[in-house]
Amino acid sequence: MRARFPLLVAVFCATLAFAAPARALTVGIADNKADMFFDPRFAASGIGQARISIGWDALSSPWQAEQLDQWLTAAHDAGVKPLVSFGHSRTDRRSLPTPERFLFEFRRFRARYPWVKEFATWNEANHCGEPTCHRPELVAAYYRKLRRDCPDCRILAAEVLDMPNMVSWVRSFRRHAHQEPRYWGLHNYIDANRARTTGTRRMLHAVKGQVWFTETGGIVRRANPHKVTFPESANHAATATNFLFRRLVPLSRRVTRVYIYHWNVDVAPGTTWDSALIGPTGRTRPAFRVVARVLNRQAARRAARAARRAGQQPPPPPAA
C-alpha cells in the first residue's frame, strides 16, 4: 500500500486538474473582419479576446497573408489577444496537408507572429463540408505536431459543431491523440438557436478538458443551404444569445470562454450568414445589449473583487 501511495496521489491530482473549478468566464468576438478593432464601441466594451479562422496554407497566398497581417496588427494594436483557428484551404478547399506540411505552415506562422500563443487545430472539423469530416485521426496528428512544437502555446484539440456525428468524431480523435486534450472548441449554434442544451451536454460528457464556445450566438439571417431550421430575426438572435449565457454557459465550470460570432454585418457581395451584433446601418441590435449586460456584470464583479482585496467598499452593481 505504501508503494502504491505516490501513484494514488498522482492520479488524484490529475483528476483534480480537470475537476477543479475553472476561472471566470471570458467573452470574446469571432470575426474575420478587422473593422471591429476601430469601432469605439468595441474599445468601450472591454473585450480582450478575438478569434480569426484562416486556411491552413494562408501564408502561401499573398492576398490571404495581407488580410491576416491587417487583422493581427489591428488586434495587437488594440491590446486584444487572438485565437487563430486553422481550417480548409481558401484556394483548394478539399486539399489536406500531411502532418509534416501542416507543421511547416504552423512554423511559418509562428515565425511571422511570435506573439500569438493560442490556436485551434481545425475549424468545425466534424462538419461534412470540411475535408476532415471522416478524418479525425488526421486532425489528431496535426494536434500532436502543434503540441510538441509549441509547448508554451494553448492549443485547442479541434472545434466541432453540435451535430449528430460530434461525439463519435470526438471519441475517435481522443483515441488517436494519445493524450487527453486540455482545451476544445464547440460551435453550439443549434443549441443556442433552438433553446436546448442537448448538444452542449453531450460534448461536456464526451471530453474532460475545458470547452470554449469558439463560435456561437443568435442568427439573424441565413441564405446558405441548410437542413437545420429555427426562427431567424434580430429579436430571435437576442433571445438565443440570452439563452446562451443564461442556460448553456452555466452547464459546467469547464465552459471558460465564449466567442460571439460576429461583431458587425459583412456587406461583401454573396454574404450568406448574418449573426452580427451590429446591423448594416451601424446600429446596435438587441443581441448587442444582451452581450453588453454580461460584460457589465463581469466588470462589476471584477471591481468588487479588487475592492475587497484592497479592503474598500465594493461599488454598487450595474443597472439591469
Side-chain angles (χ1 to χ4, degrees):
M1 186 64 189
R2 287 186 187 136
R4 293 177 59 195
F5 184 73
L7 177 61
L8 293 172
V9 170
V11 170
F12 179 69
C13 291
T15 303
L16 285 179
F18 286 115
R23 59 174 177 264
L25 180 73
T26 298
V27 178
I29 298 291
D31 199 324
N32 276 27
K33 307 185 304 302
D35 311 22
M36 62 185 174
F37 299 119
F38 306 101
D39 187 334
R41 291 169 294 192
F42 183 89
S45 72
I47 291 172
Q49 306 279 345
R51 172 186 173 272
I52 184 172
S53 59
I54 66 172
W56 64 266
D57 56 351
L59 292 183
S60 297
S61 169
W63 65 268
Q64 292 179 75
E66 181 181 1
Q67 289 182 354
L68 188 54
D69 280 342
Q70 292 172 353
W71 195 96
L72 285 171
T73 298
H76 188 269
D77 291 347
V80 174
K81 182 183 291 186
L83 167 64
V84 176
S85 173
F86 298 109
H88 65 257
S89 169
R90 290 347 186 223
T91 55
D92 185 4
R93 186 182 180 96
R94 304 309 301 177
S95 68
L96 280 172
T98 63
E100 291 71 27
R101 174 67 190 281
F102 191 80
L103 178 60
F104 172 79
E105 295 294 338
F106 178 70
R107 285 173 171 169
R108 288 179 70 189
F109 186 100
R110 292 276 297 126
R112 192 177 182 110
Y113 314 105
W115 52 277
V116 178
K117 296 288 188 178
E118 295 186 344
F119 301 92
T121 306
W122 201 274
N123 175 38
E124 298 189 350
N126 67 319
H127 190 295
C128 285
E130 288 289 320
T132 54
C133 175
H134 303 292
R135 302 292 302 276
E137 76 288 346
L138 182 60
V139 182
Y142 297 158
Y143 172 72
R144 292 197 306 271
K145 292 287 187 183
L146 302 193
R147 282 289 310 273
R148 290 194 195 106
D149 196 67
C150 191
D152 63 331
C153 291
R154 189 170 286 169
I155 310 291
L156 275 67
E159 295 170 311
V160 293
L161 275 166
D162 54 346
M163 299 173 66
N165 70 338
M166 177 183 66
V167 170
S168 60
W169 196 98
V170 164
R171 285 174 176 166
S172 181
F173 179 102
R174 290 176 67 197
R175 286 196 303 271
H176 290 94
H178 308 307
Q179 56 188 295
E180 191 62 56
R182 296 185 64 189
Y183 305 97
W184 295 85
L186 174 63
H187 297 181
N188 52 357
Y189 288 114
I190 300 177
D191 273 3
N193 286 275
R194 284 190 169 175
R196 71 176 201 185
T197 61
T198 311
T200 305
R201 288 181 185 276
R202 290 173 64 229
M203 182 65 176
L204 288 164
H205 182 72
V207 303
K208 295 182 179 179
Q210 293 183 29
V211 175
W212 297 0
F213 299 167
T214 50
E215 267 193 41
T216 191
I219 298 175
V220 177
R221 183 186 67 89
R222 292 177 296 168
N224 57 341
H226 54 268
K227 296 180 180 179
V228 179
T229 59
F230 38 73
E232 297 175 19
S233 70
N235 287 333
H236 161 77
T239 300
T241 304
N242 185 58
F243 182 85
L244 165 73
F245 287 108
R246 185 172 56 85
R247 293 290 305 281
L248 295 176
V249 168
L251 287 175
S252 172
R253 294 182 67 85
R254 289 186 290 133
V255 177
T256 55
R257 286 201 199 174
V258 170
Y259 291 81
I260 299 295
Y261 186 81
H262 47 160
W263 180 255
N264 59 345
V265 170
D266 189 346
V267 295
T271 300
T272 61
W273 181 283
D274 180 2
S275 56
L277 300 176
I278 297 172
T281 64
R283 295 183 63 182
T284 59
R285 287 170 165 169
F288 181 95
R289 294 189 284 276
V290 174
V291 176
R293 284 196 297 269
V294 172
L295 292 170
N296 287 340
R297 286 196 295 268
Q298 289 184 313
R301 283 194 290 268
R302 286 193 299 269
R305 286 196 297 269
R308 284 194 293 271
R309 285 196 294 269
Q312 300 170 357
Q313 183 69 25

